[in-house]
């Protein structure tokens, strides 16, 4: 089964396609269950779904994969699961994880903006209940600290993973007495909204304002100019997670093999430099 609550439709589709492809190759059926992490009865909902569908195992994506109550309930039900989370290193958590190193990838994006000559760099953060929002912000702050660039509170705006927030956040930044010259958005959808707002104001991207996103979704290639971003191989991540879980299920069912635990997996999104940040003038 695949359980998710994610506002990014492209992420969800890539994840579903990757899991489905792996399941089909290995002779498994896939049950997809969208739900809301804000539902106060989410634990009961998942328990009912698992029992009704008679699932052999479960793949969980953020933010559900980061909720202690959900994880505790799954442990109590004794169902094998693997979760996808944003983290830069292996934690002490016992449950198997696919770690996405958003923190270092966000550092790379911010460092790229600094290398382009920017010292006034803003950050538009996504949904608070997503660990990726926090990890990407930490990467942004780590880069500023490394290069001794002052951290400006007004340059850090919290919001949601949406185009509308990108528009709103960019307008707020442009209204400052000293607006930034670069914007790092927590995902490509936010970045696309920011780019729209900036260009509506008659500013040039990237010479007046450099803008970067994250995830390398279709949004990053459908804007003009195209967005610098961090390529996150969601389909590959999904397939690897499914393969790892299925291998574990095979071990559990075979008396001739040991019931090996599900191994941790690691991915680091890679910086993709595009025209939205590649200024020739410097700032």
């Amino acid at each position: 089964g695949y359980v998710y609550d994610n506002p990014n439709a492209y992420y969800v589709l890539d994840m579903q396609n990757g899991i489905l492809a792996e399941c089909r190759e290995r002779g498994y059926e896939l049950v997809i269950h969208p739900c809301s992490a804000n539902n106060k009865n989410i634990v009961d909902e998942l328990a009912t779904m698992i029992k009704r569908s008679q699932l052999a195992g479960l793949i969980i994506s953020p933010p559900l994969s980061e909720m202690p109550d959900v994880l505790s309930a799954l442990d109590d039900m004794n169902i094998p699961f693997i979760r996808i989370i944003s983290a830069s290193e292996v934690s002490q958590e016992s449950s198997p994880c696919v770690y996405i190193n958003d923190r270092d990838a966000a550092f790379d994006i911010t460092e790229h903006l600094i290398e382009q000559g920017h010292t006034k760099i803003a950050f538009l953060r996504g949904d608070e209940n997503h660990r990726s929002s926090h990890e990407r912000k930490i990467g942004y702050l780590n880069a500023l600290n490394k290069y001794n660039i002052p951290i400006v509170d007004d340059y850090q705006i919290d919001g949601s993973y949406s185009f509308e927030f990108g528009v709103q956040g960019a307008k707020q930044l442009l209204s400052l007495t000293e607006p930034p010259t670069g914007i790092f958005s927590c995902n490509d959808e936010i970045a696309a909204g920011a780019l729209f707002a900036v260009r509506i104001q008659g500013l040039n991207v990237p010479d007046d304002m450099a803008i970067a996103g994250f995830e390398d979704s279709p949004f990053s290639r459908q804007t003009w100019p195209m967005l610098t971003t961090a390529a996150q191989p969601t389909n590959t991540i999904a397939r690897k997670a499914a393969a790892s879980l299925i291998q574990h299920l095979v071990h559990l069912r075979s008396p001739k093999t040991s019931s090996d635990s599900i191994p941790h997996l690691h991915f680091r999104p890679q910086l993709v430099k595009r025209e939205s940040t590649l200024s020739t003038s410097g700032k």
Side-chain angles (χ1 to χ4, degrees), residues 114 119 141-151:
I114 294 169
T119 57
L141 294 173
N142 286 346
L144 296 185
N145 284 326
K146 177 181 176 180
Y147 288 91
N148 297 315
I149 293 175
I151 294 173

Side-chain angles (χ1 to χ4, degrees), residues 15-267:
M15 188 67 63
Q16 289 180 0
N17 288 341
I19 298 172
L20 182 59
E22 193 67 27
C23 286
R24 283 177 172 170
E25 284 188 11
R26 295 172 178 259
Y28 282 76
E29 294 293 329
L30 176 63
V31 175
I32 299 172
H33 185 78
C35 54
S36 171
N38 294 323
N39 177 6
K40 63 180 181 179
N41 298 316
I42 184 62
V43 171
D44 292 337
E45 177 186 340
L46 292 179
T48 300
M49 183 274 295
I50 291 168
K51 292 175 182 177
R52 183 179 65 243
S53 303
Q54 297 182 324
L55 298 182
L58 200 60
I59 298 170
I60 323 169
S61 61
L64 296 164
S65 58
E66 300 157 355
M67 297 173 61
D69 289 350
V70 169
L71 304 179
S72 178
L74 294 178
D75 282 333
D76 290 343
M77 294 181 69
N78 199 31
I79 181 171
F81 65 91
I82 186 167
R83 58 199 187 104
I84 300 167
I85 66 172
S86 174
S88 58
E89 57 188 16
V90 176
S91 66
Q92 298 302 313
E93 298 158 297
S94 58
S95 56
C97 295
V98 178
Y99 292 95
I100 314 299
N101 193 345
D102 289 328
R103 183 182 299 188
D104 287 351
F107 178 97
D108 293 342
I109 289 176
T110 310
E111 183 178 55
H112 165 67
L113 290 170
I114 294 169
E115 289 172 345
Q116 289 297 299
H118 296 277
T119 57
K120 298 178 181 179
I121 303 170
F123 181 74
L124 299 180
R125 194 180 78 163
D127 297 75
E128 185 178 4
N129 66 340
H130 281 257
R131 192 166 171 171
S132 59
S133 300
H134 302 281
E135 289 293 309
R136 293 170 193 178
K137 183 174 182 177
I138 292 172
Y140 157 79
L141 294 173
N142 286 346
L144 296 185
N145 284 326
K146 177 181 176 180
Y147 288 91
N148 297 315
I149 293 175
I151 294 173
V152 180
D153 289 341
D154 287 344
Y155 288 174
Q156 303 169 51
I157 303 176
D158 297 339
S160 62
Y161 283 114
S162 68
F163 181 93
E164 291 75 17
F165 166 61
V167 174
Q168 171 196 336
K171 287 181 177 179
Q172 184 173 331
L173 291 170
L174 291 173
S175 70
L176 296 174
T177 304
E178 292 189 22
T181 62
I183 299 175
F184 172 23
S185 303
C186 216
N187 78 344
D188 295 328
E189 195 168 351
I190 297 173
L195 190 150
F196 174 81
V198 167
R199 296 195 68 185
I200 286 294
Q201 293 296 317
L203 299 177
N204 177 273
V205 177
D207 290 332
D208 297 322
M209 181 74 74
I211 299 175
F214 202 104
E215 289 174 3
D216 197 28
S217 73
F219 271 103
S220 69
R221 299 179 294 278
Q222 292 169 352
T223 61
W224 181 258
M226 291 192 291
L227 293 167
T228 289
T229 187
Q232 183 170 283
T234 305
N235 190 279
T236 300
I237 290 169
R239 292 201 63 148
K240 293 290 187 181
S244 184
L245 178 60
I246 291 171
Q247 186 61 42
H248 178 64
L249 296 176
V250 170
H251 278 295
L252 290 177
R253 293 175 178 176
S254 175
K256 296 181 180 180
T257 61
S258 61
S259 56
D260 294 341
S261 60
I262 305 174
H264 294 306
L265 302 173
H266 300 265
F267 293 89

